Amino acid sequence: MSTIRVHSPANGELVGEVEIDTPESIRAIVQKARDAQVEWGLRPVADRAAVLLKVRKKILENTDAIVENAARENGKPRHEGLLHEVLTQLELLTYFGNEAERILAPQSIPMRLLKHRASYIHYQPRGVCAIIAPWNFPNHLGFGGAAMALVAGNAVVLKPSEFTPLSAQLLRRCYIDGGVPEGCLQLVNGYGDVGAALIGAGVDFVEFTGSVATGRKVAAMCGERLIPCVLELGGKAPALVMEDADTTRTLEAVLWGGYANAGQVCASIERLVVHEKVHDAFVGKLVNRVKALRVGDASGTADIDVGPLVNQRQLEIVERLVADAVAKGATVACGGKRVEGAGFFYEPTVLTGVTIDMDIVNQETFGPVVPVLKVGSEAEAILEANRSHLGLLAYVFTKNGGRGRRMAEQIRAGTVMVNDVLATAAAPETPWAGLKSSGIGVAHSDDGLRHMCEARHVNYDALPWLQRELWWFPYDKKSLPLLRRMLKLLYDSPFGRLL
Ligand code: NAD
């Protein structure tokens, strides 16, 4: 049996080991999920929602262990473990635990033409959902989707990232202890081929979170099988700092938005676009704050701001993008190199004099590097924001509320926040969705939950005594003028307008 040995990205220590699943074990797991889903899917939504609220309790009881796992396996600072991994889960479980019954209640459709009939949509589970997750939020990402799929009545087979399989085991235990049947939430472990085998094992729905490159492969597999999928892919979030931005709030927000989780957030600020009137003063202050960030191994202490990158490959991507920018004329205002010694640490970095031909402006960095672009106007800032092939998150900073919303509406991103960063990841009532190459479909929100169900339409007779319809057979000379008059009445008369 092959295994994955998980090493700490901060100090290289062996943290644990998991067995890799085979195509046979994956098929057996999916079958077990299918069997278990039958009873789970028949339970009233309210019962399943009550289970989510019990899971919340189990997660609260295991908070320290979850934070510890995230620190050891992922290098996550403890504050981020608590906020990004625990709070986000608790909030999501609370929202859908309290709201699922309302969200999944049948919806009637007011009829326009066929007034003698009535329609409604009812939501039924899809069956077995495959959730394929990345490593940057090992608890929140996979299990956010899992919680939603479960409350919708599905069974879930979750494939965590090969870099963070241990966090998933503990969180699954919380779900099972909270009352989710064993077969309804199972894990498969392995590399990309295991993710692909899971999609090919007869699942009914796929929620994939990961890179654009893998997302394309997942979409192709789902297309081949005609399985619905939601893809949550990469980001290159711009933060537009206008000349009237509040300096203190903007500075703190940019600092956190650029360097939280060592910049390994799909919503991280990856392009800082600053109005020329405030550029020098703002960037000077930012560099001072970035230099003061404490980089280190979170497994021993709470006093760490920025942890390591997840692996050597990620470190090399960051090094390559910074080298390309410098070769094309960018200035390293601070940072700019890896930290010598154990672990995959990279110094928090600010690059100035950045231009749009540099790879760092066009490719996802996923590291603690903020490249700064200078612009002369609001229009130029919006143009810059929209120039990316990615469109997940974007941020606008201005003290003028009307201007902020106006600018936000012109930016092609799934979410634009005004005077804030990242935070809607912890607001499950809001949609989390990528435009352009950042994804397809929506995670979180009422729509996201409904999409985890089959939306089935029922149309029935509101006037059951009616014997026949006007347009049924026979087609004869008598009925043709009648139909013509009907068209005129419906679409070219005051009566039609009343409809
Ligand atoms: P990745 O694409 O390398 O891997 C993601 C998952 O897919 C892993 O579990 C991996 O084993 C699996 N996988 C790999 N090849 C596969 C295949 N052919 N078929 C099925 N599964 C396969 O991504 P990553 O490096 O783990 O994560 C980082 C990326 O995720 C970044 O691009 C980041 O922006 C993105 N991300 C997006 C969001 C979002 O909400 N949009 C959130 C977090 C991360």
Side-chain angles (χ1 to χ4, degrees):
M1 179 72 74
S2 336
T3 60
I4 294 175
R5 290 160 69 82
V6 183
H7 294 272
S8 157
N11 55 39
E13 272 171 19
L14 182 67
V15 184
E17 195 165 354
V18 294
E19 285 181 1
I20 296 179
D21 276 285
T22 61
E24 296 72 46
S25 70
I26 294 166
R27 274 198 297 274
I29 283 168
V30 170
Q31 186 55 50
K32 186 173 166 188
R34 192 165 295 292
D35 295 343
Q37 188 272 333
V38 175
E39 188 273 333
W40 177 250
L42 287 173
R43 287 198 207 173
V45 179
D47 285 11
R48 298 192 299 255
V51 171
L52 288 202
L53 297 176
K54 286 190 197 129
V55 171
R56 182 177 68 171
K57 205 156 168 265
K58 295 292 163 194
I59 288 179
L60 265 176
E61 287 165 17
N62 283 282
T63 292
D64 289 344
I66 293 168
V67 170
E68 182 64 28
N69 260 355
R72 297 182 67 216
E73 176 177 51
N74 205 221
K76 224 176 254 289
R78 275 143 207 280
H79 289 71
E80 292 179 359
L82 270 179
L83 287 172
H84 301 178
E85 299 286 40
V86 179
L87 179 142
T88 47
Q89 263 291 298
L90 297 175
E91 186 58 22
L92 187 134
L93 289 165
T94 304
Y95 180 70
F96 290 109
N98 288 327
E99 300 295 332
E101 209 181 352
R102 167 188 64 77
I103 299 167
L104 298 180
Q107 288 186 342
S108 72
I109 302 175
M111 302 301 283
R112 208 193 81 84
L113 176 62
L114 307 182
K115 293 238 182 277
H116 60 301
R117 303 199 56 84
S119 268
Y120 66 92
I121 290 177
H122 66 121
Y123 296 96
Q124 296 299 327
R126 288 187 182 274
V128 178
C129 294
I131 310 252
I132 303 178
W135 44 265
N136 61 332
F137 295 99
N139 297 285
H140 171 55
L141 283 178
F143 283 88
M148 290 171 67
L150 284 165
V151 80
N154 301 289
V156 170
V157 181
L158 168 60
K159 186 211 160 305
S161 166
E162 52 272 40
F163 296 104
T164 52
L166 304 171
S167 293
Q169 293 182 343
L170 173 59
L171 218 64
R172 174 178 183 262
R173 189 35 54 203
C174 294
Y175 274 69
I176 304 303
D177 293 347
V180 173
E182 292 265 358
C184 283
L185 177 59
Q186 301 175 81
L187 304 176
V188 295
N189 281 304
Y191 299 96
D193 58 328
V194 166
L198 174 58
I199 299 170
V203 296
D204 303 294
F205 178 85
V206 176
E207 182 180 282
F208 170 81
T209 308
S211 62
V212 174
T214 312
R216 288 187 207 283
K217 293 184 199 165
V218 168
M221 282 196 78
C222 291
E224 191 65 36
R225 289 163 179 74
L226 294 177
I227 313 169
C229 65
V230 167
L231 305 175
E232 296 291 335
L233 311 178
K236 191 78 196 162
L240 313 187
V241 178
M242 301 320 293
E243 72 284 7
D244 60 351
D246 179 282
T247 311
T248 307
R249 183 170 177 89
T250 307
L251 191 62
E252 299 304 322
V254 168
L255 191 68
W256 195 61
Y259 302 93
N261 212 34
Q264 301 169 114
V265 187
C266 52
S268 284
I269 295 174
E270 293 229 349
R271 295 175 290 153
L272 183 60
V273 181
V274 188
H275 195 284
E276 61 190 8
K277 283 192 184 147
V278 292
H279 177 277
D280 294 356
F282 185 78
V283 173
K285 287 193 175 101
L286 177 65
V287 168
N288 285 338
R289 292 301 309 277
V290 173
K291 280 181 180 162
L293 290 172
R294 295 153 309 167
V295 179
D297 180 355
S299 55
T301 173
D303 292 337
I304 287 300
D305 300 312
V306 179
L309 297 179
V310 72
N311 54 31
Q312 179 68 23
R313 185 174 161 269
Q314 204 52 48
L315 191 60
E316 283 167 9
I317 291 173
V318 175
E319 285 181 326
R320 178 176 60 75
L321 292 176
V322 171
D324 173 79
V326 171
K328 289 176 180 159
T331 301
V332 177
C334 65
K337 57 181 189 311
R338 68 175 293 173
V339 178
E340 292 306 324
F344 306 115
F345 292 98
Y346 195 88
E347 292 177 353
T349 298
V350 177
L351 296 177
T352 55
V354 168
T355 49
I356 58 173
D357 57 325
M358 296 174 183
D359 290 347
I360 198 124
V361 181
N362 300 306
Q363 298 173 18
E364 193 179 38
T365 314
F366 234 52
V369 180
V370 171
V372 190
L373 292 134
K374 195 194 281 190
V375 289
S377 66
E378 179 181 314
E380 223 185 300
I382 290 167
L383 202 70
E384 188 47 50
N386 284 336
R387 219 177 36 75
S388 176
H389 69 293
L390 298 171
L392 186 60
L393 269 284
Y395 310 109
V396 175
F397 291 90
T398 165
K399 274 198 284 231
N400 180 334
R403 182 190 198 188
R405 287 190 292 280
R406 189 184 69 232
M407 288 180 71
E409 286 172 21
Q410 293 175 71
I411 297 173
R412 200 166 162 221
T415 294
V416 184
M417 296 186 79
V418 180
N419 296 325
D420 203 352
V421 290
L422 310 183
T424 59
E429 63 275 34
T430 65
W432 187 269
L435 305 184
K436 301 192 261 185
S437 296
S438 286
I440 294 177
V442 60
H444 295 180
S445 79
D446 297 5
D447 283 347
L449 181 62
R450 289 192 194 105
H451 191 59
M452 290 194 148
C453 297
E454 290 175 349
R456 299 189 194 160
H457 175 204
V458 174
N459 179 267
Y460 65 98
D461 43 350
L463 303 178
W465 40 264
L466 270 187
Q467 291 291 295
R468 69 182 309 277
E469 300 289 352
L470 200 59
W471 46 87
W472 288 357
F473 293 132
Y475 299 158
D476 57 23
K477 285 200 189 79
K478 247 181 20 210
S479 56
L480 206 56
L482 205 63
L483 282 176
R484 281 212 182 87
R485 276 207 300 281
M486 186 182 81
L487 292 190
K488 180 103 182 113
L489 190 69
L490 284 173
Y491 303 110
D492 189 21
S493 77
F495 173 74
R497 280 191 287 280
L498 268 182
L499 273 180

